[in-house]
Amino acid sequence: MPYSPSPLASPDSTAVASAGIRLVVTDMDGTLLDDDKRAPEALREVLGRLRERGVLFSPASGRQYATLAREFADVAEGMVFIAENGTYVVRDGVELSSDPLAPGVAARVVAAVRQLAADGVDVGAVVCGKRSAYVERTDEAFLAEVRRYYVEHRIVEDVAAVDDEVIKVALFDFGSAERTTAPALADFAETHQVVVSGEHWVDVMNRTANKGAALRRLQRELGITPAQTLVFGDYLNDLEMLDAAEWSFAMANAHPEVVRRARHLAPSNNDNGVLRTVARLLDLPVKGL
C-alpha cells in the first residue's frame, strides 16, 4: 500500500530538512523489525545513506548490547547502541553510560518472581548483567524466548547470586505481562521503574533509567538537540525516548499510550514504517522506499 500520511500524521519533509537531522533513534521489536523479528531488506542501504549524510543511527532496545552488536556487526563502527532499555549505552565497544541496580535489588525481584511462579504464574526471570544475562529456568520454551533478546546468556543455579554488575531484571510472562506480572511488582514501583516493555516482558530498573534518559545524555555529549533527532517507538518503554525528540513517531501498530504521546504517526512495523519514513523525510534515494 503506498505511504501517503495525512498532514496530521507526519510532518512535511521540508520542515524536517530545515531542522538538520543528525540522529535517528529507533526501537527494535515492534518498530524496526517486523512481527517475525526480521530486519527490513533495505536497512543496510539506508544506513549507508545516513552515514553519507553524517546522520548517526542508534538502535534503542530492551535487548542486551551483545544481541544488538551481533545484529549490526557489519555496520557497527561509530554506531551508538542504547541497550537494556537505556541502562547500558555503548559505542565502538566503549561504555558511554550505565545505570546499575544497587546490590540486593535483583535478589528481591527474583524472590518476587519465584513467589509468582509458586502461585501458578508461568513466569521467569532474566538477571541482566554487563557481561551476560543469567537464567535459572531451563525449559526450552523459556530459553527460546531468552535467546531472542539475550545472545549472551548463562544458565546458573541461582540468578540471585550472580557475580556481575546488574543493570536490569527482565521478567518473561507467558501470559499478559501488563495484567499479571507488572501489578504483582507494585512494591518495587515505589522505588524503581517497573516497565512493561512488550506483551510478555516486564523490566525492573532504577527509577533514573530509561531510553529517554540515555538519549538525553547522548544528545548532550554529541551536541545534538531534540530538534535534530528523529525517534521511533511502539511500546511503553519507548515513552520517555519519544519525549526527548521533537520528531517523535509512534508506529501504526503502537500501544495506544505511545500513539497519544508521540507527535507523529509512522506506518506499522510490518509495513517497513521506520525506513519508509526516514527515506521520505530525509529524501534518501533508496529503491523501493
Side-chain angles (χ1 to χ4, degrees):
M1 181 182 297
Y3 174 33
S4 54
S6 70
L8 292 179
S10 188
D12 183 85
S13 58
T14 303
V16 176
S18 66
I21 298 298
R22 295 176 56 196
L23 176 62
V24 174
V25 184
T26 179
D27 172 55
M28 294 288 288
D29 298 279
T31 302
L32 180 65
L33 307 182
D34 66 18
D35 285 349
D36 292 322
K37 310 298 182 184
R38 297 175 302 192
E41 291 184 5
L43 177 59
R44 264 45 183 185
E45 184 177 356
V46 169
L47 292 179
R49 299 293 185 188
L50 291 175
R51 193 179 293 268
E52 290 171 0
R53 298 276 185 91
V55 178
L56 180 65
F57 179 86
S58 178
S61 175
R63 296 180 177 222
Q64 74 177 164
Y65 165 62
T67 304
L68 294 173
R70 183 183 68 172
E71 178 77 26
F72 294 95
D74 58 323
V75 289
E77 183 180 356
M79 187 178 290
V80 176
F81 295 98
I82 300 176
E84 306 279 16
N85 278 329
T87 60
Y88 195 40
V89 182
V90 180
R91 186 179 196 182
D92 294 330
V94 177
E95 177 184 317
L96 299 184
S97 65
S98 64
D99 199 342
L101 292 169
V105 173
R108 289 171 44 222
V109 176
V110 168
V113 174
R114 288 171 178 163
Q115 184 59 56
L116 272 173
D119 292 339
V121 179
D122 195 359
V123 63
V126 183
V127 173
C128 307
K130 289 185 178 181
R131 296 193 302 271
S132 178
Y134 305 88
V135 298
E136 60 188 25
R137 272 186 69 159
T138 60
D139 56 294
E140 179 55 30
F142 179 72
L143 292 177
E145 298 298 334
V146 171
R147 285 193 291 268
R148 287 177 182 267
Y149 308 100
Y150 301 95
V151 63
E152 184 64 45
H153 65 274
R154 304 175 193 174
I155 299 174
V156 297
E157 185 175 344
D158 182 1
V159 290
V162 299
D163 181 19
D164 200 344
E165 195 168 3
V166 177
I167 49 182
K168 184 186 77 176
V169 181
L171 316 175
F172 183 82
D173 184 335
F174 281 91
S176 170
E178 190 170 5
R179 290 198 303 266
T180 305
T181 299
L185 299 172
D187 288 348
F188 292 96
E190 296 179 5
T191 55
H192 292 78
Q193 284 205 79
V194 178
V195 181
V196 179
S197 56
E199 182 181 359
H200 302 288
W201 287 97
V202 178
D203 293 329
V204 180
M205 309 175 293
N206 282 337
R207 189 177 290 280
T208 52
N210 57 64
K211 293 182 184 181
L215 175 54
R216 291 182 190 279
R217 285 193 294 269
L218 179 63
Q219 288 168 327
R220 288 194 297 269
E221 181 171 326
L222 300 179
I224 295 175
T225 68
Q228 296 171 315
T229 307
L230 242 129
V231 166
F232 298 86
D234 79 301
Y235 224 78
L236 300 176
N237 59 329
D238 297 321
L239 291 174
E240 293 86 358
M241 182 171 72
L242 296 173
D243 294 342
E246 290 190 15
W247 307 104
S248 60
F249 289 80
M251 311 308 291
N253 54 286
H255 189 287
E257 181 58 32
V258 176
V259 174
R260 284 193 290 269
R261 189 87 150 246
R263 299 188 180 205
H264 307 288
L265 193 67
S268 80
N269 64 320
N270 290 322
D271 291 330
N272 202 358
V274 171
L275 296 195
R276 291 168 67 188
T277 301
V278 169
R280 185 182 70 84
L281 294 180
L282 300 187
D283 194 23
L284 301 181
V286 179
K287 184 180 294 186
L289 290 180

